[in-house]
């Protein structure tokens, strides 16, 4: 479906659209009140194709050519951890935007 809507975009761009659109966290239990799980354990989350196809801003891994996801390759240990990653943001919309990035802690 995404390829039909965006036939000229690269595989990397289509993948970024889908991953970036996975905005619903995956939680334990059908009521979504349980713990939120790390993407390293269960994936990027839930995506809705209609909503995803309307995203005008895409985030990419700026350090690894062809990579879309940005991970730290660290298992949660409960201790402090520090790392730096570069993110490339692309705005395909008609207007400029001010954006901020946030890291969400998950189980």
């Amino acid at each position: 479906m995404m390829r039909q809507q965006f036939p000229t975009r690269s595989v990397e761009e289509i993948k970024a659209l889908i991953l970036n659109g996975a905005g619903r966290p995956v939680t334990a239990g059908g009521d979504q009140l349980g713990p939120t799980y790390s993407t390293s354990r269960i994936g990027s989350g839930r995506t809705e194709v209609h909503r995803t196809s309307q995203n005008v801003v895409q985030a990419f891994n700026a350090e690894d050519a062809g990579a879309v996801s940005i991970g730290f390759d660290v298992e949660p240990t409960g201790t402090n951890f520090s790392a730096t990653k570069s993110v490339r943001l692309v705005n395909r919309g008609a207007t400029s935007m001010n954006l901020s990035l946030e890291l969400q802690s998950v189980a």
Side-chain angles (χ1 to χ4, degrees), residues 45 49 55 65 68 74 97:
V49 174
N55 287 347
V68 175
V74 174
M97 296 182 174

Side-chain angles (χ1 to χ4, degrees), residues 51-88:
R51 191 183 86 194
T52 296
S53 68
Q54 295 175 342
N55 287 347
V56 295
V57 176
Q58 291 177 272
F60 296 89
N61 183 326
E63 297 172 351
D64 300 318
V68 175
S69 61
I70 301 162
F72 293 102
D73 298 324
V74 174
E75 288 295 319
T77 62
T79 61
N80 291 337
F81 170 76
S82 176
T84 302
K85 291 285 184 169
S86 296
V87 178
R88 178 172 56 99

Side-chain angles (χ1 to χ4, degrees), residues 20-36:
N20 294 172
R24 291 187 176 199
V26 178
T27 58
D31 58 6
Q32 297 184 349
L33 298 176
T36 300

Side-chain angles (χ1 to χ4, degrees), residues 26 28 34-42 74-77 104-107:
V26 178
T36 300
Y37 289 98
S38 164
T39 57
S40 67
R41 297 187 182 279
I42 55 169
V74 174
E75 288 295 319
T77 62
Q104 179 183 3
S105 178
V106 294

